[in-house]
Amino acid sequence: MPELSRADWVREATRTLHEAAVDSPRLSAELILQHVCGISRVELATRPETFLTSDQLSRMTGLLRRRADGEPAAYLLGQREFYGRDFRVTPATLIPRPETEHLIEAALKGCDGPASFADLGTGSGCIAVTLCAERPDWRGLMVDLSGRALAVACQNAVRHDVRQRLQPVRADFTRPLLRPESLDLLVSNPPYVGKTEYEGLSAEVRDFEPVTALVPNFVDSDKIPSHDHHHDHGGSHSHVPSTPPDKPEGLEHLIAVAQEAFVALKPGGLLLMEHGYAQGAAIKVLLESHKWENVLILKDLSGHDRVASARKPAA
């Protein structure tokens, strides 16, 4: 086998990935090489002529084949950066998106001093871990239905030295869960993709990321036995109705989060939810019509509606 330099391999791998029509072919090739060789982007740029060993080539070829088949680079590498920190990810967790960083910014801006929070549908734990890493006087609950996802979230909490301030809870957040008026903040990036929209997602998302983290009420073998998803905290205490038939698809878990938040938040507490780009108007109407105050729909860097922010009445 002829010797191959780092630059040669990246060039050939980029061509392979381009022909396979995957996203960001050159970046993917570079990330695979950096991961296997244990080098930084700077070292790749400054020492492209370094030859690769047969073991490195073998490992990189295997990862390249998986990437060409559409498997996301984050799963190949086992991590993804979020808010300036690296987080472990596995096929049991959603891959953190830059859009979700808007939840972090809104939370940090919206809560002063020590705070107690819950992150519903925590997945990799990137939201909860980041909040505790940014605020040493915050404590939180990481709630998820998937035991495998919670294990990853705990690993990330240990990695970023906040595990002692985060409690993992395996539970279905569409059922009554949290103590009344126990939290200052409730934050969530819940499943909000409607079944129709899901069919139109890229194969990279559909074929590899956990559908239960994307589509509300999708049942798979990792789910705790299903329950009635109508959330009832006792008659008049239900502060968001079931999804009206004329509203966008995918609102079911956003509604459940809002119901849980109205019970669990202290007076004046803050609710933050990530949602789909076409759901902002519907979420705003639902929250405003059910006693929430200061309801805002925040946009992401692309100008799309992305985060709903609301306050529980102080009185």
Side-chain angles (χ1 to χ4, degrees), residues 26-83:
R26 183 176 179 86
L27 176 61
S28 292
E30 291 175 345
L31 288 172
I32 289 171
L33 185 142
Q34 290 165 221
H35 174 69
V36 170
C37 296
I39 63 173
S40 67
R41 190 174 181 84
V42 172
E43 184 172 347
L44 175 56
T46 55
R47 300 184 64 185
E49 74 289 344
T50 300
F51 287 112
L52 299 163
T53 67
S54 58
D55 178 61
Q56 289 170 338
L57 282 170
S58 175
R59 291 172 59 201
M60 285 155 52
T61 298
L63 292 176
L64 180 65
R65 189 177 301 118
R66 289 165 60 188
R67 184 70 187 103
D69 286 340
E71 187 170 348
Y75 290 154
L76 299 179
L77 310 181
Q79 66 179 29
R80 169 61 67 88
E81 183 182 330
F82 180 80
Y83 214 77

Short mmCIF file of all heavy atoms in Angstrom, two decimals, residues 26-83:
data_model
loop_
_atom_site.label_atom_id
_atom_site.label_comp_id
_atom_site.label_asym_id
_atom_site.label_seq_id
_atom_site.Cartn_x
_atom_site.Cartn_y
_atom_site.Cartn_z
N ARG A 26 -15.88 18.03 2.97
CA ARG A 26 -14.50 18.27 3.39
C ARG A 26 -14.38 18.36 4.91
O ARG A 26 -13.46 17.79 5.51
CB ARG A 26 -13.94 19.55 2.75
CG ARG A 26 -12.48 19.79 3.13
CD ARG A 26 -11.85 20.98 2.44
NE ARG A 26 -10.47 21.13 2.88
CZ ARG A 26 -9.43 20.49 2.34
NH1 ARG A 26 -9.62 19.63 1.34
NH2 ARG A 26 -8.21 20.67 2.80
N LEU A 27 -15.33 19.06 5.55
CA LEU A 27 -15.29 19.17 7.00
C LEU A 27 -15.41 17.78 7.64
O LEU A 27 -14.69 17.47 8.59
CB LEU A 27 -16.43 20.06 7.49
CG LEU A 27 -16.57 20.20 9.01
CD1 LEU A 27 -15.32 20.80 9.63
CD2 LEU A 27 -17.80 21.03 9.36
N SER A 28 -16.29 16.95 7.10
CA SER A 28 -16.45 15.60 7.64
C SER A 28 -15.15 14.81 7.52
O SER A 28 -14.74 14.11 8.46
CB SER A 28 -17.57 14.86 6.89
OG SER A 28 -18.83 15.44 7.16
N ALA A 29 -14.49 14.91 6.37
CA ALA A 29 -13.22 14.20 6.16
C ALA A 29 -12.17 14.68 7.16
O ALA A 29 -11.44 13.87 7.76
CB ALA A 29 -12.74 14.41 4.73
N GLU A 30 -12.09 15.98 7.34
CA GLU A 30 -11.10 16.53 8.27
C GLU A 30 -11.39 16.09 9.71
O GLU A 30 -10.47 15.76 10.46
CB GLU A 30 -11.08 18.06 8.17
CG GLU A 30 -10.52 18.57 6.84
CD GLU A 30 -10.63 20.08 6.71
OE1 GLU A 30 -11.38 20.70 7.50
OE2 GLU A 30 -9.95 20.64 5.83
N LEU A 31 -12.66 16.09 10.10
CA LEU A 31 -13.02 15.70 11.46
C LEU A 31 -12.67 14.23 11.72
O LEU A 31 -12.18 13.89 12.81
CB LEU A 31 -14.52 15.93 11.70
CG LEU A 31 -14.97 17.38 11.83
CD1 LEU A 31 -16.48 17.48 11.86
CD2 LEU A 31 -14.37 18.03 13.08
N ILE A 32 -12.91 13.38 10.73
CA ILE A 32 -12.57 11.96 10.89
C ILE A 32 -11.06 11.80 11.07
O ILE A 32 -10.60 11.08 11.96
CB ILE A 32 -13.06 11.16 9.67
CG1 ILE A 32 -14.58 11.05 9.69
CG2 ILE A 32 -12.43 9.76 9.64
CD1 ILE A 32 -15.18 10.47 8.42
N LEU A 33 -10.29 12.48 10.24
CA LEU A 33 -8.83 12.37 10.35
C LEU A 33 -8.34 12.91 11.70
O LEU A 33 -7.51 12.27 12.37
CB LEU A 33 -8.15 13.12 9.20
CG LEU A 33 -6.63 12.98 9.14
CD1 LEU A 33 -6.14 12.88 7.68
CD2 LEU A 33 -5.92 14.14 9.84
N GLN A 34 -8.83 14.07 12.11
CA GLN A 34 -8.41 14.65 13.39
C GLN A 34 -8.75 13.71 14.54
O GLN A 34 -7.97 13.55 15.47
CB GLN A 34 -9.09 16.01 13.59
CG GLN A 34 -8.61 17.12 12.67
CD GLN A 34 -9.55 18.31 12.66
OE1 GLN A 34 -9.82 18.90 11.63
NE2 GLN A 34 -10.08 18.66 13.83
N HIS A 35 -9.93 13.09 14.48
CA HIS A 35 -10.38 12.19 15.54
C HIS A 35 -9.47 10.96 15.64
O HIS A 35 -9.01 10.62 16.73
CB HIS A 35 -11.82 11.77 15.25
CG HIS A 35 -12.36 10.73 16.18
ND1 HIS A 35 -12.62 10.98 17.51
CD2 HIS A 35 -12.67 9.42 15.98
CE1 HIS A 35 -13.08 9.87 18.09
NE2 HIS A 35 -13.11 8.92 17.18
N VAL A 36 -9.21 10.33 14.51
CA VAL A 36 -8.41 9.10 14.53
C VAL A 36 -6.95 9.39 14.87
O VAL A 36 -6.32 8.64 15.62
CB VAL A 36 -8.51 8.38 13.17
CG1 VAL A 36 -7.50 7.24 13.08
CG2 VAL A 36 -9.93 7.86 12.95
N CYS A 37 -6.42 10.49 14.36
CA CYS A 37 -5.01 10.83 14.59
C CYS A 37 -4.78 11.56 15.91
O CYS A 37 -3.64 11.74 16.33
CB CYS A 37 -4.47 11.67 13.44
SG CYS A 37 -4.45 10.80 11.86
N GLY A 38 -5.89 12.00 16.54
CA GLY A 38 -5.75 12.72 17.80
C GLY A 38 -5.06 14.05 17.66
O GLY A 38 -4.26 14.44 18.50
N ILE A 39 -5.38 14.76 16.58
CA ILE A 39 -4.73 16.05 16.32
C ILE A 39 -5.78 17.15 16.22
O ILE A 39 -6.97 16.88 16.04
CB ILE A 39 -3.88 16.02 15.03
CG1 ILE A 39 -4.77 15.76 13.81
CG2 ILE A 39 -2.77 14.98 15.14
CD1 ILE A 39 -4.04 15.90 12.48
N SER A 40 -5.32 18.38 16.34
CA SER A 40 -6.21 19.54 16.24
C SER A 40 -6.32 19.99 14.80
O SER A 40 -5.55 19.58 13.92
CB SER A 40 -5.66 20.69 17.08
OG SER A 40 -4.44 21.16 16.51
N ARG A 41 -7.28 20.86 14.57
CA ARG A 41 -7.44 21.46 13.23
C ARG A 41 -6.19 22.23 12.84
O ARG A 41 -5.78 22.24 11.68
CB ARG A 41 -8.67 22.39 13.26
CG ARG A 41 -9.11 22.89 11.90
CD ARG A 41 -10.42 23.68 12.03
NE ARG A 41 -10.87 24.15 10.74
CZ ARG A 41 -11.58 23.43 9.88
NH1 ARG A 41 -11.91 22.19 10.20
NH2 ARG A 41 -11.97 23.93 8.73
N VAL A 42 -5.55 22.88 13.84
CA VAL A 42 -4.33 23.65 13.57
C VAL A 42 -3.21 22.73 13.12
O VAL A 42 -2.49 23.03 12.15
CB VAL A 42 -3.90 24.44 14.83
CG1 VAL A 42 -2.54 25.08 14.62
CG2 VAL A 42 -4.95 25.50 15.17
N GLU A 43 -3.07 21.58 13.79
CA GLU A 43 -1.99 20.67 13.40
C GLU A 43 -2.23 20.10 12.01
O GLU A 43 -1.28 19.92 11.23
CB GLU A 43 -1.83 19.53 14.41
CG GLU A 43 -0.64 18.63 14.04
CD GLU A 43 -0.30 17.60 15.10
OE1 GLU A 43 -0.82 17.72 16.23
OE2 GLU A 43 0.48 16.68 14.79
N LEU A 44 -3.46 19.82 11.67
CA LEU A 44 -3.76 19.33 10.32
C LEU A 44 -3.39 20.38 9.29
O LEU A 44 -2.82 20.06 8.24
CB LEU A 44 -5.25 18.99 10.20
CG LEU A 44 -5.75 18.59 8.81
CD1 LEU A 44 -4.95 17.41 8.27
CD2 LEU A 44 -7.24 18.28 8.83
N ALA A 45 -3.66 21.65 9.61
CA ALA A 45 -3.36 22.73 8.67
C ALA A 45 -1.86 22.99 8.54
O ALA A 45 -1.36 23.33 7.47
CB ALA A 45 -4.08 24.01 9.11
N THR A 46 -1.11 22.80 9.65
CA THR A 46 0.32 23.13 9.63
C THR A 46 1.21 21.94 9.28
O THR A 46 2.36 22.13 8.89
CB THR A 46 0.76 23.69 11.00
OG1 THR A 46 0.40 22.75 12.03
CG2 THR A 46 0.07 25.02 11.27
N ARG A 47 0.67 20.71 9.40
CA ARG A 47 1.47 19.52 9.07
C ARG A 47 0.68 18.55 8.17
O ARG A 47 0.50 17.38 8.49
CB ARG A 47 1.91 18.82 10.35
CG ARG A 47 2.77 19.70 11.25
CD ARG A 47 3.28 18.95 12.46
NE ARG A 47 4.16 17.86 12.09
CZ ARG A 47 4.67 16.98 12.97
NH1 ARG A 47 4.34 17.07 14.24
NH2 ARG A 47 5.47 16.02 12.58
N PRO A 48 0.24 19.05 7.03
CA PRO A 48 -0.59 18.22 6.15
C PRO A 48 0.21 17.11 5.47
O PRO A 48 -0.37 16.13 4.99
CB PRO A 48 -1.13 19.21 5.12
CG PRO A 48 -0.07 20.27 5.05
CD PRO A 48 0.45 20.40 6.47
N GLU A 49 1.55 17.25 5.45
CA GLU A 49 2.39 16.30 4.71
C GLU A 49 2.70 15.04 5.52
O GLU A 49 3.25 14.06 4.99
CB GLU A 49 3.69 16.98 4.29
CG GLU A 49 4.71 17.22 5.40
CD GLU A 49 4.34 18.30 6.41
OE1 GLU A 49 3.42 19.09 6.09
OE2 GLU A 49 4.96 18.36 7.49
N THR A 50 2.36 15.03 6.80
CA THR A 50 2.65 13.87 7.65
C THR A 50 1.96 12.61 7.10
O THR A 50 0.78 12.64 6.76
CB THR A 50 2.17 14.13 9.10
OG1 THR A 50 2.84 15.28 9.61
CG2 THR A 50 2.45 12.93 10.00
N PHE A 51 2.72 11.51 7.03
CA PHE A 51 2.15 10.27 6.50
C PHE A 51 1.31 9.56 7.57
O PHE A 51 1.59 9.64 8.77
CB PHE A 51 3.25 9.34 6.00
CG PHE A 51 3.88 9.81 4.71
CD1 PHE A 51 5.20 10.25 4.67
CD2 PHE A 51 3.14 9.82 3.53
CE1 PHE A 51 5.77 10.69 3.49
CE2 PHE A 51 3.71 10.26 2.34
CZ PHE A 51 5.02 10.70 2.32
N LEU A 52 0.33 8.84 7.10
CA LEU A 52 -0.58 8.10 7.98
C LEU A 52 -0.10 6.67 8.15
O LEU A 52 0.45 6.07 7.22
CB LEU A 52 -1.99 8.10 7.39
CG LEU A 52 -2.62 9.50 7.22
CD1 LEU A 52 -3.81 9.44 6.28
CD2 LEU A 52 -3.04 10.06 8.57
N THR A 53 -0.36 6.10 9.33
CA THR A 53 0.01 4.70 9.57
C THR A 53 -1.09 3.78 9.00
O THR A 53 -2.21 4.23 8.74
CB THR A 53 0.16 4.41 11.07
OG1 THR A 53 -1.14 4.52 11.69
CG2 THR A 53 1.12 5.41 11.72
N SER A 54 -0.77 2.52 8.84
CA SER A 54 -1.77 1.59 8.31
C SER A 54 -2.95 1.44 9.26
O SER A 54 -4.10 1.29 8.82
CB SER A 54 -1.12 0.22 8.05
OG SER A 54 -0.55 -0.29 9.24
N ASP A 55 -2.67 1.50 10.56
CA ASP A 55 -3.76 1.41 11.53
C ASP A 55 -4.68 2.62 11.42
O ASP A 55 -5.91 2.48 11.45
CB ASP A 55 -3.19 1.31 12.95
CG ASP A 55 -4.29 1.26 14.01
OD1 ASP A 55 -5.09 0.30 13.95
OD2 ASP A 55 -4.36 2.17 14.86
N GLN A 56 -4.10 3.81 11.29
CA GLN A 56 -4.91 5.02 11.12
C GLN A 56 -5.75 4.93 9.85
O GLN A 56 -6.95 5.23 9.87
CB GLN A 56 -4.01 6.25 11.09
CG GLN A 56 -3.39 6.60 12.43
CD GLN A 56 -2.32 7.68 12.32
OE1 GLN A 56 -1.75 7.91 11.24
NE2 GLN A 56 -2.04 8.35 13.43
N LEU A 57 -5.13 4.48 8.78
CA LEU A 57 -5.86 4.37 7.50
C LEU A 57 -7.03 3.40 7.62
O LEU A 57 -8.11 3.66 7.10
CB LEU A 57 -4.90 3.92 6.39
CG LEU A 57 -3.98 5.00 5.82
CD1 LEU A 57 -2.93 4.36 4.91
CD2 LEU A 57 -4.81 6.02 5.03
N SER A 58 -6.79 2.29 8.29
CA SER A 58 -7.84 1.30 8.44
C SER A 58 -9.03 1.85 9.22
O SER A 58 -10.19 1.70 8.81
CB SER A 58 -7.28 0.06 9.15
OG SER A 58 -8.30 -0.88 9.41
N ARG A 59 -8.76 2.52 10.34
CA ARG A 59 -9.83 3.09 11.15
C ARG A 59 -10.57 4.20 10.41
O ARG A 59 -11.80 4.29 10.46
CB ARG A 59 -9.27 3.63 12.47
CG ARG A 59 -8.78 2.53 13.42
CD ARG A 59 -8.05 3.13 14.62
NE ARG A 59 -8.90 4.03 15.38
CZ ARG A 59 -8.44 4.97 16.21
NH1 ARG A 59 -7.13 5.13 16.38
NH2 ARG A 59 -9.27 5.73 16.89
N MET A 60 -9.81 5.04 9.71
CA MET A 60 -10.42 6.15 8.97
C MET A 60 -11.28 5.64 7.82
O MET A 60 -12.34 6.19 7.53
CB MET A 60 -9.33 7.10 8.48
CG MET A 60 -8.77 7.97 9.61
SD MET A 60 -7.10 8.58 9.33
CE MET A 60 -7.22 9.31 7.73
N THR A 61 -10.86 4.57 7.19
CA THR A 61 -11.64 4.00 6.09
C THR A 61 -12.99 3.50 6.58
O THR A 61 -14.02 3.69 5.93
CB THR A 61 -10.86 2.85 5.41
OG1 THR A 61 -9.65 3.38 4.87
CG2 THR A 61 -11.68 2.21 4.30
N GLY A 62 -12.99 2.87 7.76
CA GLY A 62 -14.24 2.39 8.34
C GLY A 62 -15.19 3.53 8.66
O GLY A 62 -16.39 3.46 8.36
N LEU A 63 -14.67 4.59 9.26
CA LEU A 63 -15.50 5.74 9.61
C LEU A 63 -15.98 6.46 8.34
O LEU A 63 -17.13 6.93 8.28
CB LEU A 63 -14.73 6.71 10.50
CG LEU A 63 -14.40 6.21 11.91
CD1 LEU A 63 -13.55 7.23 12.65
CD2 LEU A 63 -15.69 5.93 12.69
N LEU A 64 -15.11 6.52 7.34
CA LEU A 64 -15.48 7.18 6.08
C LEU A 64 -16.64 6.44 5.41
O LEU A 64 -17.58 7.07 4.89
CB LEU A 64 -14.27 7.22 5.14
CG LEU A 64 -14.51 7.88 3.78
CD1 LEU A 64 -14.81 9.36 3.95
CD2 LEU A 64 -13.29 7.69 2.87
N ARG A 65 -16.60 5.12 5.46
CA ARG A 65 -17.68 4.33 4.85
C ARG A 65 -19.01 4.62 5.56
O ARG A 65 -20.05 4.78 4.92
CB ARG A 65 -17.33 2.84 4.95
CG ARG A 65 -18.26 1.92 4.16
CD ARG A 65 -17.80 0.48 4.24
NE ARG A 65 -16.46 0.29 3.72
CZ ARG A 65 -15.42 -0.15 4.44
NH1 ARG A 65 -15.57 -0.42 5.72
NH2 ARG A 65 -14.24 -0.29 3.89
N ARG A 66 -18.97 4.69 6.88
CA ARG A 66 -20.19 4.98 7.63
C ARG A 66 -20.70 6.39 7.34
O ARG A 66 -21.91 6.61 7.20
CB ARG A 66 -19.94 4.81 9.13
CG ARG A 66 -19.76 3.35 9.54
CD ARG A 66 -19.16 3.22 10.94
NE ARG A 66 -19.98 3.84 11.98
CZ ARG A 66 -19.59 3.99 13.24
NH1 ARG A 66 -18.39 3.55 13.63
NH2 ARG A 66 -20.40 4.57 14.13
N ARG A 67 -19.78 7.35 7.22
CA ARG A 67 -20.20 8.72 6.90
C ARG A 67 -20.80 8.78 5.50
O ARG A 67 -21.80 9.48 5.27
CB ARG A 67 -18.99 9.67 6.99
CG ARG A 67 -19.36 11.14 6.78
CD ARG A 67 -20.15 11.69 7.94
NE ARG A 67 -20.66 13.04 7.68
CZ ARG A 67 -21.91 13.31 7.35
NH1 ARG A 67 -22.81 12.35 7.25
NH2 ARG A 67 -22.31 14.55 7.12
N ALA A 68 -20.22 8.05 4.56
CA ALA A 68 -20.75 8.02 3.19
C ALA A 68 -22.14 7.41 3.15
O ALA A 68 -22.95 7.73 2.28
CB ALA A 68 -19.81 7.25 2.27
N ASP A 69 -22.43 6.53 4.11
CA ASP A 69 -23.76 5.94 4.21
C ASP A 69 -24.76 6.88 4.89
O ASP A 69 -25.92 6.52 5.08
CB ASP A 69 -23.71 4.62 4.99
CG ASP A 69 -23.08 3.50 4.17
OD1 ASP A 69 -23.04 3.62 2.92
OD2 ASP A 69 -22.61 2.51 4.76
N GLY A 70 -24.30 8.06 5.31
CA GLY A 70 -25.19 9.06 5.88
C GLY A 70 -25.16 9.20 7.38
O GLY A 70 -25.83 10.06 7.94
N GLU A 71 -24.39 8.35 8.07
CA GLU A 71 -24.35 8.45 9.53
C GLU A 71 -23.74 9.79 9.93
O GLU A 71 -22.68 10.18 9.43
CB GLU A 71 -23.53 7.30 10.12
CG GLU A 71 -23.59 7.25 11.63
CD GLU A 71 -22.98 5.97 12.22
OE1 GLU A 71 -22.72 5.02 11.45
OE2 GLU A 71 -22.79 5.95 13.45
N PRO A 72 -24.40 10.53 10.83
CA PRO A 72 -23.90 11.86 11.22
C PRO A 72 -22.49 11.79 11.81
O PRO A 72 -22.15 10.87 12.56
CB PRO A 72 -24.90 12.32 12.27
CG PRO A 72 -26.15 11.58 11.95
CD PRO A 72 -25.69 10.23 11.47
N ALA A 73 -21.68 12.79 11.47
CA ALA A 73 -20.30 12.84 11.97
C ALA A 73 -20.25 12.82 13.49
O ALA A 73 -19.34 12.23 14.08
CB ALA A 73 -19.59 14.08 11.42
N ALA A 74 -21.23 13.46 14.15
CA ALA A 74 -21.21 13.52 15.62
C ALA A 74 -21.28 12.12 16.23
O ALA A 74 -20.65 11.85 17.25
CB ALA A 74 -22.38 14.37 16.13
N TYR A 75 -22.04 11.21 15.60
CA TYR A 75 -22.11 9.85 16.12
C TYR A 75 -20.82 9.08 15.84
O TYR A 75 -20.40 8.23 16.63
CB TYR A 75 -23.31 9.11 15.51
CG TYR A 75 -24.66 9.59 15.99
CD1 TYR A 75 -25.79 9.44 15.19
CD2 TYR A 75 -24.82 10.20 17.23
CE1 TYR A 75 -27.03 9.87 15.62
CE2 TYR A 75 -26.05 10.65 17.66
CZ TYR A 75 -27.16 10.48 16.86
OH TYR A 75 -28.39 10.91 17.28
N LEU A 76 -20.20 9.35 14.70
CA LEU A 76 -18.93 8.69 14.39
C LEU A 76 -17.85 9.09 15.40
O LEU A 76 -17.06 8.26 15.84
CB LEU A 76 -18.46 9.07 12.98
CG LEU A 76 -19.37 8.70 11.81
CD1 LEU A 76 -18.75 9.16 10.50
CD2 LEU A 76 -19.62 7.20 11.77
N LEU A 77 -17.84 10.37 15.74
CA LEU A 77 -16.80 10.90 16.63
C LEU A 77 -17.20 10.75 18.10
O LEU A 77 -16.35 10.85 18.98
CB LEU A 77 -16.54 12.37 16.32
CG LEU A 77 -16.30 12.73 14.85
CD1 LEU A 77 -16.04 14.22 14.70
CD2 LEU A 77 -15.15 11.92 14.26
N GLY A 78 -18.48 10.55 18.35
CA GLY A 78 -18.96 10.38 19.72
C GLY A 78 -19.11 11.68 20.49
O GLY A 78 -19.30 11.65 21.71
N GLN A 79 -19.05 12.82 19.79
CA GLN A 79 -19.23 14.08 20.50
C GLN A 79 -19.62 15.20 19.55
O GLN A 79 -19.44 15.11 18.34
CB GLN A 79 -17.98 14.48 21.28
CG GLN A 79 -16.77 14.80 20.42
CD GLN A 79 -15.57 15.20 21.29
OE1 GLN A 79 -15.44 14.76 22.42
NE2 GLN A 79 -14.70 16.03 20.74
N ARG A 80 -20.15 16.29 20.13
CA ARG A 80 -20.52 17.50 19.40
C ARG A 80 -20.34 18.69 20.32
O ARG A 80 -20.65 18.61 21.51
CB ARG A 80 -21.97 17.39 18.93
CG ARG A 80 -22.59 18.68 18.36
CD ARG A 80 -21.88 19.23 17.14
NE ARG A 80 -22.01 18.37 15.98
CZ ARG A 80 -23.00 18.45 15.10
NH1 ARG A 80 -23.98 19.31 15.26
NH2 ARG A 80 -23.02 17.66 14.06
N GLU A 81 -19.87 19.78 19.78
CA GLU A 81 -19.69 20.99 20.58
C GLU A 81 -21.02 21.69 20.77
O GLU A 81 -21.85 21.75 19.87
CB GLU A 81 -18.70 21.94 19.88
CG GLU A 81 -18.42 23.20 20.71
CD GLU A 81 -17.48 24.18 20.01
OE1 GLU A 81 -16.63 23.74 19.23
OE2 GLU A 81 -17.63 25.38 20.27
N PHE A 82 -21.22 22.22 21.97
CA PHE A 82 -22.43 22.99 22.29
C PHE A 82 -22.06 24.06 23.29
O PHE A 82 -21.51 23.77 24.35
CB PHE A 82 -23.51 22.07 22.87
CG PHE A 82 -24.79 22.78 23.23
CD1 PHE A 82 -25.73 23.09 22.25
CD2 PHE A 82 -25.07 23.14 24.54
CE1 PHE A 82 -26.91 23.74 22.57
CE2 PHE A 82 -26.24 23.80 24.87
CZ PHE A 82 -27.16 24.10 23.88
N TYR A 83 -22.32 25.30 22.95
CA TYR A 83 -22.04 26.45 23.81
C TYR A 83 -20.59 26.45 24.30
O TYR A 83 -20.30 26.73 25.47
CB TYR A 83 -23.01 26.49 25.00
CG TYR A 83 -23.37 27.90 25.44
CD1 TYR A 83 -24.28 28.67 24.72
CD2 TYR A 83 -22.80 28.47 26.57
CE1 TYR A 83 -24.61 29.95 25.11
CE2 TYR A 83 -23.12 29.76 26.99
CZ TYR A 83 -24.03 30.50 26.24
OH TYR A 83 -24.35 31.78 26.64
#
